[in-house]
Amino acid sequence: MQYYAPKSFSEAIEISMEAKGITRFLAGGTDVLVQLRADILTPEVLIDIKKIPEVGDILQNSDGSWRIGAAVPGAQLNEHKDLKAQWPGVVEAMDLIGSTQVQGRATLVGNLCNGSPAADSVPALIAAGASVTIISPNGSRDVSVEDIPHSPGKTTLEKGELISAVNLPKRNTNGGDAYLRLIPRTEMDIAVVGCGINLSVKEGLVSDARVSLGAVTAKVILVKEAADAIIGTSLDDKALTALSLAASAACKPINDKRGTIEYRTHVAGVLAKRAAQIAYKRARS
Amino acid sequence: MSNIHVNTTVNGDEIGFLCDPRETLLDCLRDKLSLTGAKEGCGTGDCGACSVKLSGRLVCSCLVLGAEAEGQEIETIEGMSRDENLHPLQEKFIEYAALQCGICTPGILVATKALLEKNPDPTETEVRYWLAGNLCRCTGYDKIIRAILDTAADMREAS
Ligand SMILES: Cc1cc2nc3c(=O)[nH]c(=O)nc-3n(C[C@H](O)[C@H](O)[C@H](O)COP(=O)(O)OP(=O)(O)OC[C@H]3O[C@@H](n4cnc5c(N)ncnc54)[C@H](O)[C@@H]3O)c2cc1C
Ligand code: FES
Ligand code: FES
C-alpha cells in the first residue's frame, strides 16, 4: 500500500488518476482502517485528504447556506452551536455514529462514500436537501446527496472524483428536521431502520417535506410518497397514518439477526411518524 | 513502498519514527516508541483500550495510521502523571479499586481526562455515554463511574 497526503485537491486527483489498482481516499479512516485491519480491503493507493486546506472548516455562506469540509469530524459538528440549532437532525444523525473516539474522526463524507445502506447521517442529509461538491479532472459540480449511493458499498463517483464538501441549504425560519434510528441497544450498533425528515410549516400546515429511509433497501432512499402524505396537513392522526403506510410501502429490507423483513417494514412506519412529529415541533418553535 | 518517515510530538516531546504505511498509530506507539500503555483489545474501534488524544481529539489509535501522525500532537497515558505524581484520576482509580486486569484502564483514564477537560461537572449519564466506546470485561463499570464522579468533585473543589 502506498500512502499519499496531498496538499491540494488537484494533486489528490492527479494521484488517483495515475493510481493502479484499488484506490481509496482517506477521511476519518473509521471505515477504511477497519476494512484494512480485517483484511476485507487493502487499497494499493491510499490518498489522505486531511492535509488539504479548508477540508476541516464549517462555513456559513452569506446567503445562509452551509459548507462543511470533507474532513470535519462528528465531534466538530456537534460543537458548532449555530449549525446544530439550524440543522439538529443532521447533527444528531452524525452524532449517533460510534463512540466518542469514533466521533473524533468519522466524517459525513466518509459515511456517505462508504456506501452502507444503514449509514446514519445519509437519510438526514437527503431529507435536508443537502448536496456534495464533487471535484473531478474536468472541474467541480454539485450533486444531490441522494444521487451518490449506488448499491451496498458502491457510490456513483467515478475514478478520479472526490468530494470536497457537503452543502446544506439555508434553514428557513419555519422549518425543522429530525433523524431517528432503531438499534437493539442504546449505543454502538448498526441501524435496523433509520429515518430522516425535514419539513416546513405555514399556518400550522406542512408546506413542504422530504422523507428519507435507511437500512430498508439496498441504498438510502428519498421517499416522495411519504412526503406527499403529510404535505398540506396539520400532521393529524390521519396524515400520520398515511405517512407511516407510505414509509412501510417503500421498504424492501433484508432479513437478518437484527430484524426480520416484517419488523423492519413496521418500524420504518413507526419511526417516520415519530421523526415527523419532532421535526414539526422544531419547525414551530 | 519504502517506509515513511514521520515527525510528530508525543507527550510534549518531538519524536521521529519510520513506519510501514499500513501500520497504525497504535502499532507505532507500542512497537517503535515503546509506549505500551495503549492496548490493542480489538483493533477495530470497538473497545477503546487504545484511546489517545490526537491534536486535541480523543481517538482510537488503532484507527489512525502511523503516517497520519505527521505534524500532530499526541497525548498518551504515559504523559498523564507528572514525575512521580499520579493524576487525581489515577489515584482515585486505585482508591476505588476501579480496575481488575487493567487492560481497559489506560484507555478509560485517557478518555475520562478528555471528558473532564471539556466538562468538569458531568452527570453519571454523561460519563456513561462518553465512555460507551470503552469496554471493560472485569469491573462491571460501577467502580469506574464512581471513581470518576468523585474525582470530578475533588477537582472542582480544588480549582
Ligand atoms: C466502532 C464503530 C462504530 C460505528 N458506528 C456507526 C454507526 O452507528 N452508524 C454508521 O452509520 N456508521 C458507523 N460506523 C462506520 C463509520 O464510522 C462511518 O461510516 C463514518 O462516518 C465513516 O467516515 P470516515 O471519515 O471515517 O470515513 P473513511 O473511513 O475515511 O472513508 C469511508 C469511505 O469513504 C471514502 N471517502 C472518504 N473521503 C472521501 C472523499 N473526500 N471523496 C470521496 N470518497 C471519500 C473512502 O475512500 C472510503 O471508501 C462505525 C465505525 C466504527 C469503527
Ligand atoms: S484496540 Fe482500538 S478500539 Fe479496540
Ligand atoms: S479491568 Fe479488566 S477489562 Fe477493565
Side-chain angles (χ1 to χ4, degrees), chain B residues 57-79:
Chain B
R57 294 243 177 247
L58 183 68
V59 302
C60 295
S61 60
C62 72
L63 294 187
V64 177
L65 291 173
E68 292 181 81
E70 174 68 36
Q72 308 279 322
E73 283 184 30
I74 296 155
E75 289 169 57
T76 72
I77 185 67
E78 284 84 356

Side-chain angles (χ1 to χ4, degrees), chain A residues 1 50 79 100-101 105, chain B residues 21 51 54 57 68 130 134:
Chain A
M1 187 178 92
K50 291 190 292 298
E79 287 161 6
T100 313
Q101 288 84 341
R105 300 290 281 172
Chain B
S51 297
L54 178 71
R57 294 243 177 247
E68 292 181 81
W130 183 270
N134 288 88

Side-chain angles (χ1 to χ4, degrees), chain A residues 24-25 27-32 98 107 110-111 113 119-120 163 181 189, chain B residues 45:
Chain A
R24 283 286 182 277
F25 293 106
T30 60
D31 284 313
V32 169
T107 66
N111 196 223
C113 294
D120 280 304
I163 293 176
R181 74 165 180 191
D189 209 338

Side-chain angles (χ1 to χ4, degrees), chain A residues 194-205:
Chain A
C195 178
I197 297 191
N198 179 39
L199 50 77
S200 302
V201 180
K202 274 196 195 115
E203 289 159 15
L205 300 182

Side-chain angles (χ1 to χ4, degrees), chain A residues 256-284:
Chain A
D256 75 357
K257 61 180 177 196
R258 287 169 201 286
T260 59
I261 291 174
E262 293 81 354
Y263 184 62
R264 286 174 193 260
T265 306
H266 176 72
V267 168
V270 175
L271 290 191
K273 261 193 208 179
R274 291 182 190 168
Q277 285 170 312
I278 298 170
Y280 186 78
K281 208 167 150 197
R282 284 177 174 164
R284 302 192 69 180

Side-chain angles (χ1 to χ4, degrees), chain A residues 6 8 38 52 54 61 66 74 90 95-96 137 146 153 178 229 236 238:
Chain A
S8 69
I52 301 174
E54 291 175 24
N61 302 311
W66 294 88
V90 170
D95 188 46
L96 286 172
E146 60 265 33
D236 51 20
K238 197 173 144 228

